Structure formats: structure tokens, C-alpha cells
Amino acid sequence: MFSNVLKAGAVAPALPWSAVSAAMLCAVAAAAQAQESPSARATLEETVVSATRSEQRLSDVIADMTVIDRDQLDQQAGRSLEDVMAKLPGVQITRNGGPGTETGLYLRGASKQHTAVYIDGIRVDVQNGSGGAQWESLPVDLIERIEVLRGPAGAVYGSDALAGVVQVFTKRGTAGVQPFVGLGAGEYGSRKAEAGISGAQGMVDYALGLSYAESHGFDSKNRGVHNEDRDGYTRKSANARVGLQLNADQRLELTALTSRTNAGYDASKSVKDDRGLRALDAYGLSWTAQWTERFRTRLSVSESTNRYETSGTSTYEAETRLRTMLLQNEWLLGPGTLSLALERREDTLENTGLKNTSHRDRDQTGVAIGYGAKFGTHSVQLNARSDEDSDFGRKNTGGIGYAWAFAPQLRATASTSTGFRVPSLYQRFSDYGDPALAPEESLNKEIGLRWADQGNHLGVTLYRNKLQNLVSYEKGLGSCGKTSCYVNVERAQLQGITLTGAYRTGRLKWYGSVDFQNPTNEATGKLLERRSRRFATLGVDAAVHGWTLGGEMQAASRRYNAKDEQVMSLGGYTLFNLSASTQVARDLTLTARIDNLMDRAYTLAQDYATPGRTFWVGLKWLPR
């Protein structure tokens, strides 16, 4: 099943894979000596919601999952959200220039439209182009926590979750009053400022935040005819999260986030000053009620709007409005939890490229049931969902997961799950679309083994995800009457092995992940574009005389830039990053970073530049 993935590891001259392997073996050997720390124990008992949409301990989750908290995000000060995501297991990114420009995120080798993204439970997506969340619009400064679920989750979330789910959460107020202010500056004239306040008193809790970021940037393109200027960006963002505890058992919560980005980019063979303007608004209202000790209800309504427009070479406008309603009931039954959910989703697209303005919206209504239980050393998770789409009719999905803790620190898992995605409105009804496109579908199988002891862990996951009816933009095909159209032409197989580990020895905390993958087009046997067969992140943090010092290596093997190329056109790369932080006063923290220490030239998309060696320094005031 995974022989192709193992064979793929044989050719990667651009990466020090002997060093990668040695580091992972060191992790195995040292983990047995690791000592428990209070923070590590707290992480082990961490509660998550993304795996099943119900609260459960992270240590009980059967699915393959990663969590990033605010402390970890603070260590990445000065980076964009997509750059933070690129360090996680199973994740690669591509970007047409610097932060603020068009960004793609590949989770386990799948395209960005195959990952469902949520902000405080609010679905964000676009019906423009191929679809998927606009990662370049999400402000990392206002995010408190990120949960990344790897593997299809259509039986829980419905359409789009063929590769996984990413949920970002903003801060929730707690007792007292806690303000914060942060300032930072770095290479390319980059500057950031953030401020906010959170707290709780009586029935009310609140968290408010503001963020501003700008950069002079660098020339987005490094070859060919283009506007040879610096393509900078600005981003202004704000969020609010207000809760009202009506009584001991019922709670109302309002969430709002808004972000405005203005970024320069270089259009193909253009010498004009091209600008991309992105606007993201997300609003949600939820009510939870704990009727008895064993029965609770959650009702939420939300709306998100993504707007994109360009100026310069051409003028283009597109706006997606997505409305959702979710009613979820949960019962504690025996050793497990039974959930029953009803969900409604409505999408509307306003786009200058739509040739038929009567087809600007669609809707889906889904019913989902799930049951998860733990029987001693055995755990099971069962999910099924049926969605009725206004254009495609009924789509059914399911998932089965099993885990066995066969030793005190060892746990084996196995699961299979399905997912689907209906084509975007643009793919069907634009000048380049085809109304007859069929939904994309996936079937995933995976097994895993995890060792965990007092906050230290090692894990391996093997997966194979088969996708069919993939929608692709192809030349000389389809019925759109153009030279290129969106058509169902591809079948892909995404298979791979992910190794993860973290352990602490004294003052040192080691962490890392290595991915061996083989995402291929089954029709041609070629590697999918802009995806490496091997990539890794390895690092260590050290506590020395009041400082937290960090060293990190990021590496990726070479890739194809486009599906029809016969040779690898994007070289592999290895980057080294350094970080340091310390409390310069009781409530004041200094953070400094050097990224791409060796000033390595590398490329994520053909003809587009990436940052060289960059410096960043920031101060954050947060009363303890």
C-alpha cells in the first residue's frame, strides 16, 4: 500500500535526510529519559473540539491532530499565519510573492479547497476560482489557538473536508481584566502593532483585539517581464468575542472578526502597479444549554463574507457570502457521547466573470449522527452524514475509527472515512466553467502508532487518500467554448507517512516532524504540482539564564511547478531559523527572530521570489 512512498524517499539530494533520520532516532532514544513538566502534563489533558465537533481530551482523539496555542504563536512573532502553518506535520504552502499575496495550502498533498476552515466555528470559504479559504486574509495576531485535523471529515462537516479541517479560535475572556499591547519591526520595512483587552465580570466575559501590519516588501517576481518594484502590503484587523452566562446552564456568545488587506503583486508580463484588495468579515452568534448532566444543546448562526478585487493590469471583483446554521444535540450514553446535528449552508457569489447571473447561489442541508466511546483500553468513533445539495442532490459520507491502548504509553489507531466537495459556483458558471461538473469525492484509510508519556510523544501515521472526479483547469477540453476550461479529468492518490515527535530533557525541548508523501495524478502517474515528496521541520528550544533560545530547520525536496511539466523545476531547499525571547520586565517580553539564517534563495512558485535573510524584534506588554 505504501511502497511508492517509501521508494520516493530514495532521491532527495537537496535535503540532509541523513541528518533528519538521525534526529528522529535521537528523539526515540532520548524520550525514555524525558522528565515530566507541569506544562507538558497540561498539554496532555488539553481539550479539543475539531475532531468530532464535541469536546474531548486531546489524548482521547483517534484522528491525526495537531494543536497550536498562544505561547507557540508568540514564539513565531513576525510570521504570517501561513508561514506558521507551513511548520506543521503534513502541511506545505505556496505563495505568489510575499505575505498578502495569493497563497495555497496543501494538507497531506491535497489542494487548499479540500481543507475546511473555521474561525470560532464560523465557516470561511470562497466560491471564486477553485475555492478554499483565503489564508492571506487571516490575521495571526488575533488568533489564540489553532486545531488542525488531518484526514477526510465529511461525515462531521459535510462538503469540502476531503483532506482535513483547520479551526482557528480567538481569545475568550476570563476573570479579571487583562490588557495587552505589542509592537514589532523587521526586515523590508515590516512593522506590526497589536492591542486588546479581555476579562470577565458577573455574567459577562469579553475579549477585544486590534491588529495592524505593514511591509514595504520585495519584488514579487525574480525573472521575466514584470513591474520591478517592491510589492508591500498592509493589513488592518479587529475582533470581538463577548459571552453572556444567562445562568449556570445557558450561555450566549457573539463573535466578530474583520480584516482588510491591500497587497502588491506582479501580474503576468505586466509593468503596472498591480494591487490585490481582500476583505474578510465573519460574524457568529451561538447559544449553548446544558439541560441535564447528560444532555446539552448548541445552536449557532453565522455569516462570513470574502471580497477580492484587483487594480492595475486588469479590474476584477468577486464576493462570496456564506451563511450557516447548526443545531447540535449531545447525550452522554454509557461510556460515550451520542451527537445528532442539523446543518444548513447557503453560498452566494457575485463575480464579474459569471456568464449566467441566474446561477449565483446554492445551498446544502445536512443531517449528521456520531457516537464516540471508550471501553477500557479500546476506543471507537462512528460518524455518518447525509447532505442534500440544491444542485447535486444527496451526498452521503461516513467514518469509522478505532484505537487500542495496548500498553501504558502506546496506542494504535486505525480509521477509514469519506469526503466530498461540490464544484465552486465559478467552476460551473463562469466563462471557463461547465455546469455539468460532478462533485469531487475521497476515500481515506490510515493507521497510526503513538507513544506518549508525561507530555513527551512520538508518533507515526500511514495514510492513503484516493480522490476521484477532481476538477482541473485544462487546455483544449470541456464545453465552455474557450481554449481552457474547468473539467473533471483527474483521479489522484495521496499517500504518505508522517513522523512526529517531541520530548524534553532538562532545559531542552526537542520537536520535529518528517513527511514522506507521494501525491500523484493516477491518470498520468505524475507528482501533483508544487508538492514535495519529502519535507520536515526539526527544532530545539532551550531555557538559559532567563532566555528561551530556539533553533529550527525547515527542509523540502524539489517539486513540479505545473502538472504538464516533465522535469522538476522548483529546487529543494533547507532553511535555518533562530529565535530568542526573555522577560525584560515583569510584564514585558522581548522576542527576536532570524529567519533563513543562511540567506538561502528558494522558490515556492515559478518566477516568484521569496524572502532572504530576515530579522524581527518585538515587545509585548501583558500584565501577569
Side-chain angles (χ1 to χ4, degrees):
M1 171 177 171
F2 300 102
S3 59
N4 291 336
V5 180
L6 297 176
K7 291 177 182 178
V11 284
L15 282 86
W17 288 106
S18 58
V20 171
S21 302
M24 294 303 293
L25 291 174
C26 288
V28 175
Q33 308 176 43
Q35 301 297 315
E36 178 183 11
S37 69
S39 60
R41 190 188 305 114
T43 301
L44 186 64
E45 300 302 316
E46 197 165 12
T47 299
V48 297
V49 298
S50 297
T52 63
R53 277 189 165 172
S54 299
E55 291 185 359
Q56 61 182 143
R57 296 190 308 173
L58 179 59
S59 57
D60 291 337
V61 173
I62 296 176
D64 187 17
M65 193 171 185
T66 298
V67 176
I68 308 173
D69 60 24
R70 185 64 248 180
D71 289 341
Q72 293 169 304
L73 290 173
D74 283 339
Q75 293 175 3
Q76 306 300 317
R79 285 182 165 176
S80 65
L81 177 60
E82 55 266 33
D83 287 327
V84 172
M85 295 290 296
K87 297 173 53 182
L88 301 183
V91 177
Q92 284 192 290
I93 68 166
T94 182
R95 188 165 54 203
N96 295 345
T101 58
E102 184 71 25
T103 301
L105 182 141
Y106 303 119
L107 182 59
R108 283 187 172 180
S111 300
K112 75 171 185 177
Q113 64 267 28
H114 299 144
T115 297
V117 180
Y118 292 79
I119 302 173
D120 288 330
I122 304 168
R123 183 77 166 91
V124 291
D125 190 23
V126 299
Q127 288 298 311
N128 181 51
S130 298
Q134 291 187 328
W135 288 96
E136 55 274 15
S137 296
L138 299 177
V140 67
D141 306 308
L142 302 181
I143 295 172
E144 184 74 8
R145 173 187 176 85
I146 305 172
E147 295 181 7
V148 181
L149 175 69
R150 290 177 287 273
V156 179
Y157 292 93
S159 180
D160 305 344
L162 284 82
V165 176
V166 176
Q167 293 219 48
V168 299
F169 299 93
T170 59
K171 186 177 180 62
R172 176 174 169 175
T174 55
V177 178
Q178 188 175 58
F180 71 90
V181 176
L183 298 171
E187 199 78 9
Y188 303 118
S190 301
R191 294 186 290 269
K192 279 190 177 182
E194 56 178 321
I197 187 169
S198 63
Q201 184 174 9
M203 299 169 55
V204 179
D205 59 84
Y206 59 91
L208 310 173
L210 297 171
S211 172
Y212 176 81
E214 68 172 20
S215 175
H216 296 160
F218 50 87
D219 192 359
S220 288
K221 283 195 170 182
N222 52 19
R223 55 185 294 186
V225 177
H226 66 283
N227 184 25
E228 298 182 9
D229 65 343
R230 301 179 69 175
D231 297 300
Y233 79 98
T234 60
R235 180 185 294 119
K236 304 174 184 178
S237 309
N239 81 291
R241 186 172 178 180
V242 180
L244 179 63
Q245 197 70 39
L246 301 175
N247 54 45
D249 301 318
Q250 298 193 47
R251 172 181 171 83
L252 282 174
E253 184 171 275
L254 173 67
T255 299
L257 183 143
T258 182
S259 179
R260 300 290 184 271
T261 304
N262 185 330
Y265 72 98
D266 288 329
S268 178
K269 299 180 180 179
S270 170
V271 294
K272 294 185 178 180
D273 182 20
D274 296 295
R275 310 293 300 180
L277 288 77
R278 292 174 171 85
L280 168 65
D281 296 297
Y283 306 99
L285 177 66
S286 65
W287 165 65
T288 55
Q290 188 75 43
W291 302 111
T292 69
E293 290 184 357
R294 308 186 69 84
F295 176 48
R296 66 180 304 203
T297 296
R298 181 174 187 268
L299 174 65
S300 65
V301 292
S302 65
E303 177 176 305
S304 66
T305 303
N306 280 272
R307 182 176 177 81
Y308 175 62
E309 59 181 292
T310 64
S311 63
T313 304
S314 61
T315 301
Y316 177 81
E317 295 183 12
E319 180 178 289
T320 298
R321 183 173 66 249
L322 194 162
R323 291 174 175 168
T324 59
M325 184 279 291
L326 174 67
L327 174 63
Q328 180 161 317
N329 294 293
E330 299 174 11
W331 293 266
L332 296 179
L333 295 180
T337 300
L338 174 69
S339 64
L340 181 63
L342 173 66
E343 187 168 22
R344 170 79 172 182
R345 168 177 172 170
E346 300 173 352
D347 293 87
T348 302
L349 174 64
E350 300 288 344
N351 189 294
T352 54
L354 289 185
K355 62 182 178 182
N356 190 336
T357 57
S358 64
H359 296 283
R360 295 186 299 185
D361 52 53
R362 72 162 190 225
D363 60 77
Q364 294 175 347
T365 301
V367 178
I369 186 171
Y371 182 71
K374 189 174 183 179
F375 306 92
T377 59
H378 302 274
S379 301
V380 296
Q381 182 65 50
L382 308 173
N383 292 93
R385 178 166 170 142
S386 181
D387 285 273
E388 186 71 23
D389 187 271
S390 58
D391 292 334
F392 295 97
R394 189 169 301 279
K395 300 297 295 182
N396 299 320
T397 48
I400 302 174
Y402 168 73
W404 178 29
F406 60 90
Q409 286 83 36
L410 286 169
R411 189 169 184 248
T413 61
S415 64
T416 182
S417 53
T418 59
F420 77 99
R421 175 180 173 84
V422 298
S424 72
L425 291 170
Y426 186 86
Q427 289 175 326
R428 297 183 63 210
F429 302 116
S430 72
D431 291 338
Y432 304 95
D434 185 352
L437 289 176
E440 301 170 306
E441 299 178 348
S442 69
L443 171 62
N444 182 73
K445 299 177 182 178
E446 63 184 79
I447 57 175
L449 180 64
R450 181 180 173 89
W451 174 89
D453 183 29
Q454 300 178 344
N456 306 289
H457 67 85
L458 293 169
V460 56
T461 302
L462 290 79
Y463 61 88
R464 183 177 68 183
N465 193 1
K466 297 180 75 69
L467 281 66
Q468 62 181 5
N469 294 332
L470 286 189
V471 179
S472 180
Y473 188 66
E474 298 286 337
K475 296 180 179 180
L477 296 173
S479 59
C480 67
K482 302 283 187 178
T483 56
S484 299
C485 303
Y486 287 103
V487 292
N488 291 114
V489 297
E490 294 183 1
R491 289 178 294 110
Q493 180 168 271
L494 314 176
Q495 60 179 2
I497 302 174
T498 299
L499 305 174
T500 59
Y503 67 90
R504 187 183 298 271
T505 54
R507 296 181 178 181
L508 298 180
K509 178 183 177 182
W510 302 81
Y511 62 89
S513 67
V514 182
D515 279 271
F516 300 91
Q517 65 175 12
N518 194 32
T520 56
N521 182 329
E522 286 195 314
T524 64
K526 295 180 180 179
L527 190 70
L528 296 180
E529 63 270 23
R530 298 184 180 181
R531 273 152 273 202
S532 300
R533 282 195 170 98
R534 297 160 304 280
F535 56 95
T537 298
L538 300 173
V540 59
D541 294 330
V544 180
H545 301 300
W547 285 82
T548 298
L549 306 177
E552 179 182 82
M553 181 195 76
Q554 290 180 269
S557 63
R558 52 186 183 168
R559 297 137 291 148
Y560 286 108
N561 183 70
K563 67 189 71 177
D564 56 352
E565 292 187 16
Q566 300 298 312
V567 295
M568 294 286 188
S569 59
L570 304 178
Y573 60 87
T574 301
L575 308 179
F576 294 94
N577 311 314
L578 300 177
S579 64
S581 64
T582 188
Q583 282 190 255
V584 294
R586 183 174 181 271
D587 301 325
L588 192 63
T589 301
L590 170 69
T591 302
R593 297 189 56 82
I594 303 177
D595 289 325
N596 193 2
L597 177 67
M598 308 305 293
D599 199 23
R600 175 69 186 271
Y602 65 105
T603 304
L604 298 177
Q606 184 172 306
D607 299 339
Y608 286 95
T610 54
R613 183 189 300 114
T614 60
F615 304 86
W616 178 267
V617 61
L619 283 171
K620 188 169 186 177
W621 175 72
L622 179 65
R624 306 293 177 180

